[in-house]
Amino acid sequence: MDRLKQGLTEATGWLLYVSLLMLLALALPRDVFDPDSKHFLFIIGAVGIWRYSMGAMHYIRGLIFLYLVYPYYRRQVRKLGSAADPSHVFLMVTSFRIEALTTAQVYGSVIQEAIDSGYPTTVVCSIVEMSDELLIKSLWAKLNPPERVKLDFVRIPGTGKRDGLAYGFRAISRHLPDEHAVVAVIDGDTVLTPGVVRKTVPWFKLFPNVGGLTTNEFCEVRGGYIMSEWHKLRFAQRHINMCSMALSKRVLTMTGRMSVFRAQVVTEPEFIADVESDHLEHWRLGRFRFLTGDDKSSWFSLMRLGYDTFYVPDAAINTVEHPPEKSFIKASRKLMFRWYGNNLRQNSRALRLGPRRLGWFTSLVLFDQRISMWTCLLGLAVAIIASLKYSIGFLLVYLLWIGLTRLILSILLIASGHHIGPAYPTILYYNQIVGALVKVYVFFRLDQQSWTRQDTKLTRDLASFQRWFNSWSSRAMTFSAASVFIAVLLTVV
């Protein structure tokens, strides 16, 4: 009954969206739809050629990997049989300030996977609170794992996830894992689906140079409808992009929700140092440590050490998302600030690795990440300027173009296998504009970082003049960049 109600609600939503597009089209002059007219609808799309071509390349590459290349790889893995089994599996979970119900779900799924996988396994619990230890021990006693499954607690200070990972990696090092052992790094809000371990660990045997791989994600959001749809849309887009990058074995992030590494990688002192104390030397802001973005640091470390990265689309996990604010606008901005900051802090130094190490397509994607904050704003800015200088019709045409293209992009996401909802077209455009504005803001403030779940912020012991200079130079550069952007468009349009 609930499924039928949900289906009717979504059908109504799609119908309402299409009806609004039709009303907008009826409000426009007829010559907008005449291909011989200078006002023809699709002319305005010329400003998005770069963005649409990049999106099309990702989409086509993603489908090629998902439906052609990956099934071939999977057959190769099956042929290996037990020869692809690891000598030992470490399931490391980092937990800090996560509600008890979620913690119980997470560790219950991890312990059950350790039992069901059939491999010699050690569950490494990197925790802060004693209450978490007591909860885990009670779950352990209830599930009663066999002798081949061990439990190892690592007590850490509540100073951030990076420290938790580093303590956990050092604890694994003390077990002296051999070259055939693997380590799964799992976030404290990630619930494993049955069989996910057996689906991920054999790939290291098939691809000897893969140092780490990551998994497909679905989510349960403890928030309102829009926040839930926003997260689900993000994971659908992520799935296609991950598949695209996996075609080159250059997946751009080792997500902290669940990624699997060779044990010989995570026990390397250089890798541990990269994750624990990653930092950036900025020409204006000085030297500062990375508070967030451990998934980007681990990816960059793998690239620098000469490893490949991979994605397993049929190995799924479920994450429990707790929005940092009740308001969708505030929560999404906070999350974007963290995600895009992590991206931009890694971007410039990743590009310096060069196409010889990264490959030409990966270098192109990293370059696109750097300029997308401006290309995403270009269409709206041109439409507003044209409507002010010439006619309001230009803005209406632009809105119709956005409505149609976002509808098509949403429908194309059906190929991802993720749920598609009627709010997706609107959320896609929200992400484009608000996301671009957040990127512009954070690009000039790379030293500003904070967690969304913990009240932890980066503190720097700077002299008062340095703090003043950083603050005002960031504001001046933001204003200057925005002014140049608008001035160029006023000249051209």
Side-chain angles (χ1 to χ4, degrees):
M1 190 67 181
D2 289 340
R3 187 172 294 181
L4 176 61
K5 184 179 179 181
Q6 182 183 359
L8 289 172
T9 302
E10 291 193 353
T12 303
W14 285 115
L15 184 61
L16 178 62
Y17 182 83
V18 173
S19 299
L20 289 173
L21 284 183
M22 293 175 67
L23 288 172
L24 183 57
L26 289 172
L28 294 171
R30 287 191 176 184
D31 63 352
V32 165
F33 303 97
D34 180 4
D36 297 324
S37 169
K38 64 180 181 179
H39 302 300
F40 180 51
L41 172 65
F42 294 102
I43 290 178
I44 199 169
V47 298
I49 286 176
W50 171 269
R51 287 193 302 104
Y52 290 123
S53 61
M54 286 299 299
M57 278 195 289
H58 267 308
Y59 188 76
I60 293 168
R61 284 170 54 91
L63 294 189
I64 289 172
F65 176 81
L66 187 58
Y67 295 107
L68 296 176
V69 176
Y70 181 74
Y72 169 76
Y73 286 158
R74 189 168 50 197
R75 290 194 294 271
Q76 298 300 109
V77 164
R78 286 172 180 166
K79 287 179 183 179
L80 291 174
S82 60
D85 290 351
S87 59
H88 199 94
V89 175
F90 294 89
L91 301 178
M92 189 181 86
V93 188
T94 56
S95 298
F96 182 43
R97 291 184 182 171
I98 296 174
E99 64 177 28
L101 177 60
T102 301
T103 300
Q105 286 180 287
V106 170
Y107 280 98
S109 71
V110 170
I111 297 168
Q112 192 62 55
E113 265 301 285
I115 297 169
D116 295 343
S117 70
Y119 303 128
T121 305
T122 300
V123 178
V124 181
C125 310
S126 185
I127 58 174
V128 177
E129 288 98 347
M130 177 59 73
S131 58
D132 284 345
E133 183 173 340
L134 295 175
L135 177 58
I136 295 163
K137 284 181 177 178
S138 68
L139 287 169
W140 189 267
K142 179 181 178 181
L143 294 171
N144 191 26
E147 279 295 315
R148 60 177 172 77
V149 181
K150 308 295 183 184
L151 183 63
D152 188 5
F153 285 102
V154 181
R155 296 299 296 273
I156 62 172
T159 51
K161 186 180 175 184
R162 287 181 178 271
D163 289 338
L165 291 171
Y167 277 72
F169 291 154
R170 293 191 182 101
I172 292 170
S173 300
R174 292 192 286 272
H175 287 272
L176 302 176
D178 63 28
E179 61 179 343
H180 301 297
V182 298
V183 178
V185 179
I186 302 160
D187 210 352
D189 55 6
T190 300
V191 180
L192 305 188
T193 59
V196 69
V197 171
R198 295 196 69 88
K199 288 178 180 178
T200 52
V201 297
W203 296 97
F204 295 101
K205 193 72 171 182
L206 183 67
F207 301 126
N209 200 50
V210 167
L213 56 84
T214 193
T215 52
N216 194 1
E217 292 186 32
F218 296 85
C219 64
E220 174 192 339
V221 182
R222 305 287 169 82
Y225 171 77
I226 296 298
M227 178 57 71
S228 177
E229 293 296 283
W230 185 69
H231 275 286
K232 290 173 183 176
L233 169 62
R234 174 174 168 261
F235 286 133
Q237 291 178 301
R238 172 190 180 275
H239 184 57
I240 295 295
N241 288 339
M242 288 285 195
C243 287
S244 169
M245 300 312 300
L247 196 59
S248 308
K249 295 189 180 68
R250 288 292 182 274
V251 174
L252 293 178
T253 181
M254 291 290 98
T255 177
R257 298 307 179 87
M258 181 182 175
S259 291
V260 188
F261 301 86
R262 293 183 185 276
Q264 67 187 43
V265 171
V266 302
T267 55
E268 284 189 28
E270 194 174 358
F271 180 86
I272 296 174
D274 283 343
V275 173
E276 182 178 27
S277 54
D278 203 359
H279 64 278
L280 188 65
E281 295 278 359
H282 194 272
W283 67 273
R284 178 174 56 85
L285 301 171
R287 178 190 172 105
F288 56 89
R289 288 185 59 186
F290 293 168
L291 180 64
T292 62
D294 54 275
D295 52 350
K296 298 294 183 183
S297 296
S298 57
W299 170 80
F300 179 75
S301 188
L302 287 172
M303 290 293 103
R304 191 166 53 81
L305 294 171
Y307 290 101
D308 295 334
T309 54
F310 194 63
Y311 178 65
V312 186
D314 60 355
I317 57 171
N318 292 307
T319 61
V320 183
E321 303 289 343
H322 298 86
E325 299 282 351
K326 290 184 178 180
S327 164
F328 167 72
I329 302 294
K330 290 181 179 179
S332 60
R333 279 172 45 213
K334 271 192 174 183
L335 291 168
M336 285 179 182
F337 183 84
R338 177 162 64 88
W339 296 336
Y340 296 150
N342 294 340
N343 260 335
L344 292 169
R345 277 185 285 274
Q346 295 288 353
N347 186 279
S348 59
R349 66 180 187 174
L351 274 171
R352 286 198 292 271
L353 293 174
R356 178 173 289 184
R357 174 69 194 102
L358 297 174
W360 285 103
F361 182 74
T362 306
S363 298
L364 182 67
V365 171
L366 289 171
F367 174 74
D368 180 61
Q369 286 180 354
R370 202 164 186 79
I371 66 170
S372 63
M373 66 188 82
W374 302 111
T375 58
C376 286
L377 294 172
L378 191 62
L380 177 61
V382 168
I384 292 174
I385 292 170
S387 67
L388 293 173
K389 290 180 70 173
Y390 306 111
S391 166
I392 191 66
F394 283 96
L395 182 59
L396 296 177
V397 169
Y398 173 74
L399 292 176
L400 180 59
W401 168 260
I402 289 299
L404 289 171
T405 53
R406 272 49 188 178
L407 177 61
I408 293 169
L409 291 174
S410 298
I411 293 171
L412 289 175
L413 286 174
I414 291 173
S416 70
H418 286 244
H419 168 81
I420 305 299
Y424 279 23
T426 306
I427 297 173
L428 274 171
Y429 189 62
Y430 171 85
N431 285 347
Q432 176 186 324
I433 301 303
V434 177
L437 293 173
V438 172
K439 282 182 184 178
V440 171
Y441 181 85
V442 75
F443 181 75
F444 298 106
R445 296 163 180 81
L446 294 177
D447 59 329
Q448 294 186 17
Q449 308 165 63
S450 64
W451 281 104
T452 48
R453 185 165 59 229
Q454 301 100 338
D455 187 19
T456 308
K457 293 187 177 182
L458 179 69
T459 55
R460 302 171 67 195
D461 296 324
L462 299 176
S464 58
F465 173 78
Q466 187 65 50
R467 288 197 301 271
W468 175 87
F469 174 79
N470 286 359
S471 175
W472 281 97
S473 64
S474 293
R475 294 175 186 175
M477 294 196 73
T478 306
F479 178 78
S480 300
S483 299
V484 170
F485 177 71
I486 295 170
V488 169
L489 294 183
L490 286 170
T491 305
V492 172
V493 176

